[in-house]
């Protein structure tokens, strides 16, 4: 599934760049009272990147599992005043544990780390997105 086709994601204006990262351009509709990008717009970009990254990291489970975001923790580092790019990672040990648990129990948890950076490579937000994934019957 292309996450940029999700209606809410389309509404926010999130797109993909040539490297596959999700991007959110600064525009008036996403501004807060200080004319910087609203925290909820940044959260949406980061959460969407975490789900998209999981799909790309585990293509063998596409259409065979359902994921639910259980918890997230984010820290805003500086005001976002330009286009943001989202970068996601999963450490190797967590990836292996996730696969093992999913195969043994048909369910598993996984944390995806996301950083948002502006066009000048300044970090505006970091987050950890904790997913629960279950195999479909």
């Amino acid at each position: 599934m292309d996450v940029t086709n999700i209606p809410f994601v389309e509404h926010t204006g999130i797109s993909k760049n040539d490297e596959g990262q999700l991007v959110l351009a600064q525009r008036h509709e996403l501004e807060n009272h200080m004319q910087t990008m609203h925290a909820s717009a940044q959260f949406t970009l980061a959460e969407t990147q975490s789900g998209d990254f999981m799909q790309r990291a585990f293509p063998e489970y596409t259409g065979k599992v359902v994921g639910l975001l259980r918890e997230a923790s984010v820290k805003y580092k500086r005001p976002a005043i330009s286009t943001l790019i989202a970068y996601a990672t999963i450490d190797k040990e967590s990836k292996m544990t996730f696969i093992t648990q999913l195969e043994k129990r048909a369910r598993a948890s996984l944390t995806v780390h996301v950083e948002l950076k502006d066009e000048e490579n300044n970090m505006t937000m970091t987050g950890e997105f904790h997913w629960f994934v279950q195999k479909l019957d």
Side-chain angles (χ1 to χ4, degrees), residues 23-35:
V23 176
L24 185 57
Q26 171 69 6
R27 57 184 211 280
H28 178 72
E29 295 83 8
L30 301 177
E31 289 180 353
N32 59 23
H33 63 289
M34 297 174 19
Q35 286 75 52

Side-chain angles (χ1 to χ4, degrees), residues 8-106:
F8 184 72
V9 174
E10 286 181 344
H11 178 72
T12 62
I14 293 171
S15 61
K16 279 192 181 179
N17 66 15
D18 293 339
E19 290 79 39
Q21 280 90 16
L22 295 182
V23 176
L24 185 57
Q26 171 69 6
R27 57 184 211 280
H28 178 72
E29 295 83 8
L30 301 177
E31 289 180 353
N32 59 23
H33 63 289
M34 297 174 19
Q35 286 75 52
T36 63
M37 192 175 297
H38 200 284
S40 64
Q42 292 184 65
F43 182 90
T44 299
L45 174 61
E47 186 273 340
T48 305
Q49 179 68 44
S50 73
D52 185 60
F53 185 81
M54 284 181 45
Q55 286 185 144
R56 289 185 286 119
F58 305 101
E60 66 274 24
Y61 295 118
T62 300
K64 299 176 184 175
V65 299
V66 62
L68 172 69
L69 181 67
R70 279 247 172 109
E71 185 178 340
S73 60
V74 299
K75 185 170 185 177
Y76 298 93
K77 303 280 192 175
R78 65 177 25 159
I81 57 173
S82 65
T83 296
L84 296 180
I85 303 168
Y87 301 90
T89 58
I90 302 169
D91 65 71
K92 274 187 177 181
E93 185 178 321
S94 295
K95 185 175 183 176
M96 296 310 298
T97 300
F98 173 77
I99 293 168
T100 301
Q101 287 179 352
L102 192 59
E103 291 305 318
K104 278 186 178 178
R105 300 182 187 156

